[in-house]
Amino acid sequence: MTPELMAAENISFSYETSRVLKDLSVSIQKQDFIGLIGPNGSGKSTLIKILGGILKADSGLIQFKGTPLSKINKKLFAQSVSWIPQDHPMVFPFKVSEIVMMGRHPYLSPLSFGSEEDFDITRCAMETTMTYQFADRYFNEISGGEKQRVMIASAMAQNPELMLLDEPTSALDLKYQVQILNILKYLNTNHNMTLVMAMHDLNLASQFCNRLILLSEGGIVRDGTPEKVLEKDILEQVYGIDIDLSIRDGHIMVHPVIRN
Ligand code: ADP
Ligand code: MG
């Protein structure tokens, strides 16, 4: 059995009065590549933030490698789990290489600028994500697909065991979507990286992820292999549209039925 990396038990969360996550439980195994799917507003971003320790659940227990989050050393947690938000507005004009070096932050001592090892690690992260060639450019002056690769490089430099990504491909054209997913697949396969990724494209999720978690109104309605989760009845119910399924190269493909 693969070891459990993170477990959330009976998590509930509200923003002010509206309850967004309802008694939700999930267990993340080492080297899972999880696609977190579900309609807008179903709670994907909120769940990702709770797993990443950015938001605190109102009730329930979250454990990382068997230790409750409340008892984990913050620096150790920052070395182990990285969170890539959906938007990354940069107010200050940082260079790409500086943003990737920020991934080393949980390892640096105060006032240190990074050792040779830190530079080697960031260079490797930039090479893997094909961002080294624009290391000296300003983050604000590169394209959306390039920005997303830089954020992955920064997360990779952090050398985490778990990467949480919030819709890493949503703003990108098809070519860059596939490029990002190929990088994530590479990290999953070759670096044993565990990934939890919110995303909307069910067909890409079906092809790249080994496991899908379908959220609806703050609860998990399905959790398992793409074959188990991508079923016509449940998708029609959750998304509120008619759906056809097909199989391509062994993967389930989801097609909305357009009625005129
Ligand atoms: P998803 O990522 O699946 O679209 P979210 O987790 O962003 O869903 O949102 C779940 C619900 O919580 C939505 O109804 C949304 O309007 C609400 N919500 C999200 N962020 C906030 C916030 N900062 N304050 C109040 N309500 C919020
Ligand atoms: Mg979201």
Side-chain angles (χ1 to χ4, degrees), residues 233-250:
D233 290 355
I234 192 80
L235 293 177
E236 290 187 333
Q237 202 182 313
V238 167
Y239 286 93
I241 54 166
D242 291 336
I243 279 173
D244 272 342
L245 299 180
S246 66
I247 295 187
R248 216 185 110 218
D249 297 333

Side-chain angles (χ1 to χ4, degrees), residues 113-177:
F113 291 101
S115 64
E116 203 166 318
E117 189 196 1
D118 293 313
F119 282 100
D120 286 347
I121 290 170
T122 53
R123 182 179 173 140
C124 172
M126 285 191 275
E127 281 170 352
T128 305
T129 53
M130 298 162 286
T131 52
Y132 190 65
Q133 64 270 31
F134 46 84
D136 288 329
R137 287 184 48 200
Y138 285 101
F139 186 78
N140 289 332
E141 296 169 4
I142 57 176
S143 77
E146 291 165 346
K147 280 190 177 126
Q148 202 56 264
R149 271 153 44 213
V150 170
M151 294 316 291
I152 293 171
S154 183
M156 196 184 153
Q158 199 177 327
N159 196 23
E161 288 187 74
L162 172 65
M163 261 190 207
L164 304 165
L165 303 111
D166 200 345
E167 297 193 31
T169 59
S170 281
L172 307 180
D173 74 33
L174 259 185
K175 175 181 159 186
Y176 290 117
Q177 289 184 32

